[in-house]
Amino acid sequence: MCVCTCLGEDNARFILLFVVLAVYMLAGAALFQRLEADLETRQAAEFWRVYHTFRRHHLQSSPIALERLDELLYAYGNASSSGIINKSRRWDFPGSFHFVGTIVSTIGYGNTTPQTTAGKVVAVLYGFFGCSGGILFFNLFLERVITFLAWILRSVHMLRLKSRIRKNSLASRRSFKAPEGRKASLPDILDDDADDLDMDQWKPSVYWVMLYLSLACCAVASCAAAVYAPLEDWEYFDALYFCFVSFATIGFGDFVSTEKTHYPYIHWYRVANFIFLLAGCCCTYSLLNVTSIVIKQGLNYVIQKIQCENQDMAAPHLPRRKSSVSTTYFSKRRGTRIVGRDSFKGDNFGTPRRMSGELISMQDFFSANKVTLTVMQKQLQEMAQVQKGTSSIATVSNAGVLKPDAVGPLAIVSEKFKSKVSKNR
């Protein structure tokens, strides 16, 4: 307890996440050992039973034939794992395109691998730039899909709000007697746009976004599995399992699509396979990053509980660092007439401060100072401009200090869920 209070909040969160992941991995290892170890033992015993039965009946007095059998089994195993036999060609153009797709998407099934030295060198260089471009594409998709979902939820909330105002104004409309020759009408607010309703500061909950992304992932996976199951001769559950492993870019390689030597409508199937993998990876990538925000909220809750216990024990608080990201890029928040259920009053501001479970507002979405990727990228760009003489040192000094959790895809989601802090510059 005392050790945690000596750490910063970011360090405490990092150590807590490390402990949670370690426990999670240990529990997972024990669970999979219990589920899979017995089957592995039975499969190994069955193989050796067949092997020794064959030796006993056919190769008792022929050591040379036994040696040839071992060589045959070894060569067959290598050929099967490399996809040389009983499978479609790996290095024709469609097979090569499938290979580079597994590189750029970071799936890496392992069913197709370069065997030549030149191919391995090119795979390293190609994978470096390909993975970088793929991660950038996923990040940009993540930013846009969250923006789109927030716009939809905002529109639905605005319609509900107008309907509620309309119902509440019925009584006043009946009691209001319009001048002669003039028809009574509803309040002007119902005819105005969202700005007059002060909807710029309304924030949909992160849990709704997580729900809709989950439904989108399930829809893509269900449709893809319905296509994979009959064409690949898989069970429907196996097809769903393949979809998750592929969409999450885990890529075990035990199930791989487009491996058979013949398919009906092969060209259409390859196009559909590419679309399913692209849409599934994008949606699942977005869902995983939004889910990471929920996990981070859980870690923050634990840290807050520790802080509360330290208050009761008269121990010092966990030091909180000022968010340089919010200070640098977010403008001062306007007061709102409508406060969400998850909002609470800040200590230093008179306006409601929103929880991290809310999305950024539409005003923040389309503001000119929106963060697209990371603070680190901005700092590197400004440093490059300084070296070229196109920027001043003062610009770099105003960039702010880099926050540990402001790097990578988590920063994109975090910035869209955090509240705006007033800018004192």
Side-chain angles (χ1 to χ4, degrees), residues 21-37:
L21 285 178
V23 174
Y24 187 77
M25 294 172 65
L26 291 174
L31 177 61
F32 282 106
Q33 180 186 15
R34 182 176 182 83
L35 294 175
E36 301 293 336

Side-chain angles (χ1 to χ4, degrees), residues 102-177:
T102 61
I103 293 180
V104 173
S105 62
T106 70
I107 296 177
Y109 290 118
N111 63 317
T112 303
T113 56
Q115 302 296 320
T116 63
T117 302
K120 294 176 182 178
V121 172
V122 172
V124 172
L125 299 177
Y126 187 89
F128 177 79
F129 293 102
C131 291
S132 301
I135 292 174
L136 176 61
F137 177 82
F138 288 148
N139 287 340
L140 295 178
F141 180 88
L142 169 65
E143 184 178 359
R144 279 151 181 79
V145 72
I146 293 178
T147 303
F148 177 70
L149 289 176
W151 178 79
I152 293 178
L153 293 173
R154 173 179 176 270
S155 300
V156 172
H157 180 77
M158 185 173 62
L159 292 177
R160 291 178 178 176
L161 182 61
K162 285 185 176 182
S163 177
R164 190 181 309 163
I165 295 175
R166 184 178 290 106
K167 291 179 180 179
N168 293 334
S169 63
L170 288 178
S172 60
R173 186 179 65 173
R174 294 191 185 99
S175 62
F176 175 73
K177 187 175 182 181

Side-chain angles (χ1 to χ4, degrees), residues 186-384:
L186 291 175
D188 294 336
I189 190 174
L190 296 177
D191 300 325
D192 294 337
D193 55 10
D195 294 335
D196 295 328
L197 287 175
D198 203 8
M199 291 292 296
D200 284 339
Q201 299 299 327
W202 181 81
K203 317 300 182 301
S205 173
V206 62
Y207 302 105
W208 283 108
V209 176
M210 183 177 175
L211 173 63
Y212 289 128
L213 283 175
S214 300
L215 294 177
C217 292
C218 291
V220 175
S222 299
C223 295
V227 175
Y228 289 133
L231 293 177
E232 299 289 347
D233 294 330
W234 295 340
E235 297 291 336
Y236 186 78
F237 180 79
D238 292 335
L240 286 175
Y241 163 78
F242 163 77
C243 290
F244 172 77
V245 170
S246 299
F247 296 166
T249 69
I250 298 173
F252 290 129
D254 49 349
F255 291 91
V256 181
S257 59
T258 66
E259 273 202 324
K260 294 167 60 176
T261 56
H262 176 71
Y263 292 97
Y265 309 105
I266 179 61
H267 300 294
W268 290 106
Y269 177 53
R270 284 173 175 167
V271 172
N273 178 62
F274 175 77
I275 294 175
F276 282 138
L277 290 178
L278 178 62
C281 288
C282 288
C283 293
T284 305
Y285 180 87
S286 301
L287 176 61
L288 293 178
N289 280 281
V290 172
T291 306
S292 66
I293 293 297
V294 178
I295 296 176
K296 186 177 178 181
Q297 287 180 342
L299 298 177
N300 291 338
Y301 176 78
V302 174
I303 294 175
Q304 290 175 2
K305 285 296 184 181
I306 296 177
Q307 288 178 336
C308 293
E309 292 178 3
N310 290 338
Q311 288 180 355
D312 297 336
M313 298 173 60
H317 294 279
L318 288 173
R320 294 182 61 88
R321 303 180 192 173
K322 187 176 180 181
S323 175
S324 60
V325 179
S326 300
T327 304
T328 304
Y329 296 104
F330 286 155
S331 60
K332 188 173 182 179
R333 175 190 171 105
R334 294 192 295 111
T336 58
R337 295 195 300 266
I338 302 172
V339 181
R341 289 178 297 177
D342 294 335
S343 300
F344 62 93
K345 293 289 184 181
D347 297 335
N348 301 324
F349 305 98
T351 57
R353 176 186 172 193
R354 66 176 182 265
M355 300 288 286
S356 60
E358 294 178 320
L359 282 170
I360 197 169
S361 65
M362 295 304 296
Q363 180 182 3
D364 298 336
F365 279 144
F366 301 107
S367 61
N369 58 357
K370 181 178 64 176
V371 179
T372 56
L373 280 180
T374 63
V375 179
M376 178 177 288
Q377 292 174 340
K378 179 177 178 61
Q379 290 180 333
L380 292 176
Q381 180 181 4
E382 291 176 347
M383 288 299 297

